[in-house]
Amino acid sequence: MDLTKDPIPGLIKKIAVPASVGFFFNTMYNVVDTYFAGLISTDALAALSLSFPIFFIIIAFGSGLSQGTTALIANALGEKNNGKTHHIAMQAISFSILFSVCLTFLGLMFASDLFRLLGASDNYLGISLAYMNVLLMGTGFFILQSVINSALNAQGDTKSYRNVLILGFLLNLVLDPWFLFGGFGLPAMGVRGIALATVLIQALGCVFLAVRLTHSRIWMGFSGSDLWPERKTFKEIAVQGFPAGFNMATVAIGIFVITLFVSRFSMEGVAAYGIATRIEQIVLLP
């Protein structure tokens, strides 16, 4: 695939169709989590709903960094400068790791206050934090996966991420009930198990995409110096990525506000809203 020479209609088909299939399985992944949380209790369902707008902010910035990285690598590819594309990809990985540490710290610091603002208390608050804290500890995998995928997207490879999402969905069907109810030497972990399954699947996705990156045409071998933060490249990534991240973060803030008002009615209302958003995602997939 040559993004600078191949016919545009064919490129759109090759890039968009795998991405669309991947998004379908990503949506169904969330449906699976919601289903198994419902088997625990209404509290657990509501906890997932409360966590969504908070964690969506992290996902938003991960997506922003991904878009910024894609733009920079795509420009370097257009210049036919493979050395530059490799350097940007490695710097983006370094940026994502450092940024993830900051987001994890901030999330762990403020999650409890945000949940209380949304009306969580007592057992409801405990379940929400049990789920959210595990996800926060896996922040690095979420953002790193987005950034590695951006380096592949810039080369026109959307199939690798599609495969990650399909395999992730299938693994989730197995890991959610296993971690939730226990068995084969594992204790029942409840809602923590659902979060742990997600973090583990994200980590495996990072490994798969990293291997794919090492087999791509921009890869020029690993050197620790490539990962050492470079102020100029970090600034370029931030300038490209943060505006896109803030755009998506406004959506997360909107969801937070809606959840805030729904929480004034009842915990059951929050749980119902969480289920409805999953159904809405399916309807909006086309």
Side-chain angles (χ1 to χ4, degrees), residues 41 46 60 78 98 103 114 196 217 227 254 258 264-265 283:
S41 65
L98 294 175
L103 286 179
L114 290 173
L196 182 59
R217 62 191 176 106
L227 287 173
I258 294 171
R264 295 294 183 263
F265 290 89
V283 173

Side-chain angles (χ1 to χ4, degrees), residues 5 31 72 77 115 193 202 218 240-241 265:
K5 295 180 180 179
V31 170
L72 292 172
L77 284 170
F115 281 141
Q202 290 293 315
I218 72 169
Q240 290 288 334
F265 290 89

Side-chain angles (χ1 to χ4, degrees), residues 145-164:
Q145 188 177 118
S146 291
V147 169
I148 297 175
N149 181 53
S150 70
L152 296 171
N153 278 346
Q155 301 173 72
D157 178 6
T158 56
K159 292 182 179 180
S160 293
Y161 192 52
R162 175 205 63 187
N163 294 340
V164 165

Side-chain angles (χ1 to χ4, degrees), residues 11-283:
L11 288 173
I12 291 175
K13 181 180 178 181
K14 290 177 182 178
I15 295 173
V17 172
S20 299
V21 172
F23 283 130
F24 168 77
F25 281 96
N26 187 53
T27 299
M28 297 311 296
Y29 183 106
N30 294 329
V31 170
V32 170
D33 277 355
T34 301
Y35 170 78
F36 282 108
L39 296 181
I40 303 174
S41 65
T42 303
D43 290 28
L45 263 178
L48 262 65
S49 299
L50 285 191
S51 300
F52 180 66
I54 298 173
F55 198 72
F56 192 85
I57 295 175
I58 293 174
I59 300 300
F61 281 107
S63 177
L65 290 178
S66 172
Q67 292 179 49
T69 303
T70 299
L72 292 172
I73 291 178
N75 284 336
L77 284 170
E79 298 169 4
K80 302 189 184 302
N81 189 338
N82 283 349
K84 184 177 180 180
T85 58
H86 175 81
H87 181 67
I88 292 171
M90 297 298 286
Q91 285 291 296
I93 290 172
S94 177
F95 191 112
S96 68
I97 293 171
L98 294 175
F99 189 60
S100 298
V101 172
C102 296
L103 286 179
T104 300
F105 177 76
L106 290 173
L108 292 172
M109 181 180 293
F110 294 109
S112 179
D113 293 330
L114 290 173
F115 281 141
R116 287 191 176 91
L117 179 62
L118 291 172
S121 60
D122 302 325
N123 185 58
Y124 184 17
L125 176 61
I127 294 174
S128 299
L129 287 173
Y131 178 78
M132 189 66 193
N133 286 343
V134 174
L135 283 185
L136 287 171
M137 296 305 294
T139 296
F141 296 124
F142 286 88
I143 295 183
L144 189 59
Q145 188 177 118
S146 291
V147 169
I148 297 175
N149 181 53
S150 70
L152 296 171
N153 278 346
Q155 301 173 72
D157 178 6
T158 56
K159 292 182 179 180
S160 293
Y161 192 52
R162 175 205 63 187
N163 294 340
V164 165
L165 294 175
I166 293 173
L167 291 172
F169 165 75
L170 295 175
L171 278 174
N172 203 37
L173 288 173
V174 176
L175 295 183
D176 262 5
W178 183 20
F179 290 0
L180 176 62
F181 300 114
F184 299 102
L186 283 181
M189 290 182 273
V191 73
R192 284 189 183 89
I194 296 176
L196 182 59
T198 295
V199 171
L200 178 58
I201 290 169
Q202 290 293 315
L204 293 174
C206 283
V207 173
F208 177 81
L209 292 176
V211 171
R212 292 294 300 158
L213 181 61
T214 62
H215 288 86
S216 70
R217 62 191 176 106
I218 72 169
W219 184 255
M220 300 180 67
F222 177 78
S223 172
S225 60
D226 288 330
L227 287 173
W228 189 257
E230 181 182 276
R231 185 174 181 180
K232 179 177 179 292
T233 309
F234 268 37
K235 182 179 179 181
E236 290 176 347
I237 294 170
V239 168
Q240 290 288 334
F242 281 162
F246 279 117
N247 285 341
M248 285 197 67
T250 59
V251 176
I253 293 170
I255 297 172
F256 184 90
V257 171
I258 294 171
T259 306
L260 177 65
F261 281 104
V262 173
S263 67
R264 295 294 183 263
F265 290 89
S266 66
M267 179 187 66
E268 290 79 7
V270 174
Y273 173 64
I275 295 172
T277 57
R278 300 309 184 203
I279 296 172
E280 180 189 34
Q281 287 175 345
I282 295 174
V283 173

